Amino acid sequence: MAKLALGPLLQKFKQSTIARNSFVYTVDFSLQILVQAAYLLLLSRALGPANFGIFAGLSAISIIGSTFVGWGCDQIVIKNVAADRGSFAANFGSGLVSIGLSFPLLLALCYGISVLMTDTHSVSATTIAAIMVADLLFTKLLFLCKACFAAIESARPQLVINIVATLVKLLAAVLAVLLHSHLSAEEWGWWYCGSAAVSALFALAMVVRLIAWPKLCIMWSEFRVGMLFCSEFAAQAALRDADKPIIVSVLGPEIGGYYAVAFRIVDAASTPVRGLLYATYTRYFRHAAGGSQKGVEFGMSVLPYAAGFSAVVSLLLLICSGLIPWLLGPKYAPAVSVIRWMALYPMLFALMGVSADILRAIGLQRTRVLLMVLAVPLLMAASWLCAGWGGADAAAVGRIVVMAGVAGVSWWLVARRRRKL
């Protein structure tokens, strides 16, 4: 009887692309949580709060800058290839050329910002450059390769790329700890760059082997759309990481290290929500192609699942945050209160993510980008003021207030558009 009851469900699962991909993405992100947890545990213990704070501040700047490398080429691949698979070679090749052209400019800009905003006395100029190259070039290539598979709704290769990339990074951390008696940000920067290079080369080989070789060209007609994507994802990256160098600058690298570790834990815990958003992302465009109302309805159907996942994650963060000193060592005890103040992050992340996908799919991307761009200076100002007034805990509260404001305005825009449909 059980087999008879489960038979139709299994058959339906096999026939549903979104169900299969959601399952693969769930496995993917679950494995990433385990590997990244081991990576964070090992690296935070080895570097200590001060060195970890320096590294987190530098990588935050380069990650934000990486959103402009390639001029949105990964999102353009998804947009174009999802509609016409025959355009893959040209879109992939254009992405590679765009990365090559924009990378040197962003490297110079991010290096200059890092010197101004972070405490770089403990790291050399070449190590700063190595960290920048890892995020601006190799990680961007990795994202482009993942976008190639996302565009054709092939989830398994993305799983392989993600797991290999996280395992390579973990292996680099293990080797760095074993080969350096007192690992510093100076030494880790080179291991970090090397692991990113290996992962990028592996991802490129997978795309060429499983899909097609690129046709090197530059699609200038997509530049305007690409920059719109860049602006949005740069604002998202800034909302995620712009507070890290500010906290290091205001409170010092050690407290900045506590704050960065707390955020990494909270952000990693939000991985199941990120998996759901990623699995449904391309579907918004397809539903919206049949009319804005269908795009909104699809987003509203995703919302309960995203809200439910994120609520469970927030509750677990509150319950389990006290284990941090036991896992990372007593020197990270101040991170516990920061995690608790940030416990609402997964829920706000889910609300922001679903509303962003709806607005993007129904033609309000420019409004969404403007909202995100305006929120960035608010986050930076809140981080600076709150950190100076009440330390890392107050800075965490400031972050949550800004995120709540962005989520509230986003859903107000969605509700207003629904009333007009």
Side-chain angles (χ1 to χ4, degrees):
M1 291 294 292
K3 288 185 177 180
L4 290 174
L6 289 173
L9 290 175
L10 290 173
Q11 187 65 27
K12 199 171 182 180
F13 175 83
K14 290 178 181 179
Q15 293 175 349
S16 172
T17 301
I18 191 169
R20 292 197 311 271
N21 284 351
S22 295
F23 175 75
V24 173
Y25 287 132
T26 300
V27 173
D28 178 1
F29 283 101
S30 297
L31 290 174
Q32 284 193 65
I33 287 176
L34 294 175
V35 177
Q36 287 178 2
Y39 166 77
L40 180 61
L41 177 65
L42 181 65
L43 191 63
S44 59
R45 278 182 170 271
L47 288 176
N51 276 291
F52 191 88
I54 293 171
F55 170 70
L58 291 171
S59 62
I61 294 169
S62 59
I63 288 171
I64 295 171
S66 70
T67 58
F68 286 101
V69 175
W71 303 309
C73 59
D74 48 344
Q75 300 304 311
I76 289 173
V77 166
I78 292 175
K79 178 179 74 72
N80 292 345
V81 178
D84 177 17
R85 185 162 177 175
S87 66
F88 172 80
N91 278 276
F92 181 36
S94 178
L96 293 174
V97 173
S98 298
I99 290 172
L101 292 175
S102 55
F103 161 69
L105 301 175
L106 271 298
L107 176 62
L109 178 62
C110 290
Y111 180 85
I113 294 173
S114 69
V115 172
L116 294 174
M117 290 191 65
T118 61
D119 179 8
T120 57
H121 295 96
S122 301
V123 286
S124 65
T126 52
T127 299
I128 295 173
I131 294 172
M132 299 291 164
V133 169
D135 292 326
L136 295 172
L137 178 60
F138 297 130
T139 300
K140 192 63 181 186
L141 288 171
L142 188 79
F143 285 171
L144 175 62
C145 293
K146 287 165 58 178
C148 291
F149 290 110
I152 61 173
E153 294 195 72
S154 182
R156 290 184 182 179
Q158 295 175 71
L159 168 65
V160 173
I161 289 173
N162 285 333
I163 295 305
V164 167
T166 50
L167 285 175
V168 167
K169 192 185 293 185
L170 177 60
L171 178 60
V174 170
L175 291 174
V177 170
L178 291 176
L179 296 176
H180 301 280
S181 56
H182 298 288
L183 186 65
S184 66
E186 171 76 22
E187 295 157 339
W188 169 243
W190 291 99
W191 286 97
Y192 180 72
C193 184
S195 65
V198 171
S199 299
L201 291 173
F202 174 81
L204 286 167
M206 281 197 67
V207 172
V208 169
R209 180 174 178 272
L210 298 178
I211 307 181
W213 283 86
K215 178 183 177 182
L216 297 181
C217 61
I218 184 72
M219 300 172 67
W220 292 112
S221 60
E222 297 287 353
F223 180 79
R224 187 175 178 180
V225 176
M227 289 307 295
L228 193 60
F229 279 122
C230 283
S231 300
E232 179 177 4
F233 286 96
Q236 288 184 2
L239 281 174
R240 181 182 182 273
D241 287 317
D243 53 342
K244 313 303 182 305
I246 292 173
I247 301 301
V248 171
S249 177
V250 174
L251 301 176
E254 185 169 350
I255 297 178
Y258 302 144
Y259 185 90
V261 164
F263 179 82
R264 293 284 181 98
I265 292 169
V266 171
D267 189 58
S270 304
T271 299
V273 181
R274 190 175 288 109
L276 176 64
L277 295 174
Y278 197 75
T280 57
Y281 177 63
T282 57
R283 294 279 169 156
Y284 282 91
F285 293 104
R286 295 186 181 180
H287 282 274
S292 295
Q293 186 172 355
K294 290 185 177 180
V296 174
E297 289 173 354
F298 178 73
M300 297 305 296
S301 71
V302 172
L303 180 60
Y305 298 99
F309 286 157
S310 61
V312 172
V313 173
S314 293
L315 183 61
L316 289 174
L317 283 170
L318 286 171
I319 294 171
C320 301
S321 57
L323 297 175
I324 297 305
W326 179 73
L327 291 170
L328 304 183
K331 57 189 174 183
Y332 282 101
V336 173
S337 60
V338 179
I339 292 172
R340 288 173 177 165
W341 283 114
M342 285 192 189
L344 286 177
Y345 177 93
M347 295 183 67
L348 295 172
F349 177 79
L351 292 173
M352 290 171 60
V354 175
S355 63
D357 288 341
I358 293 175
L359 292 172
R360 190 184 300 115
I362 63 177
L364 292 179
Q365 186 177 358
R366 291 186 180 180
T367 304
R368 170 67 182 174
V369 170
L370 178 61
L371 173 61
M372 300 288 284
V373 169
L374 292 175
V376 173
L378 287 178
L379 174 64
M380 297 176 71
S383 298
W384 184 73
L385 292 171
C386 292
W389 171 66
D393 289 351
V397 173
R399 159 178 276 283
I400 293 300
V401 170
V402 172
M403 289 182 68
V406 173
V409 174
S410 296
W411 279 104
W412 175 76
L413 290 170
V414 171
R416 190 176 71 167
R417 186 58 178 262
R418 286 185 76 189
R419 287 194 295 268
K420 293 181 178 179
L421 296 177

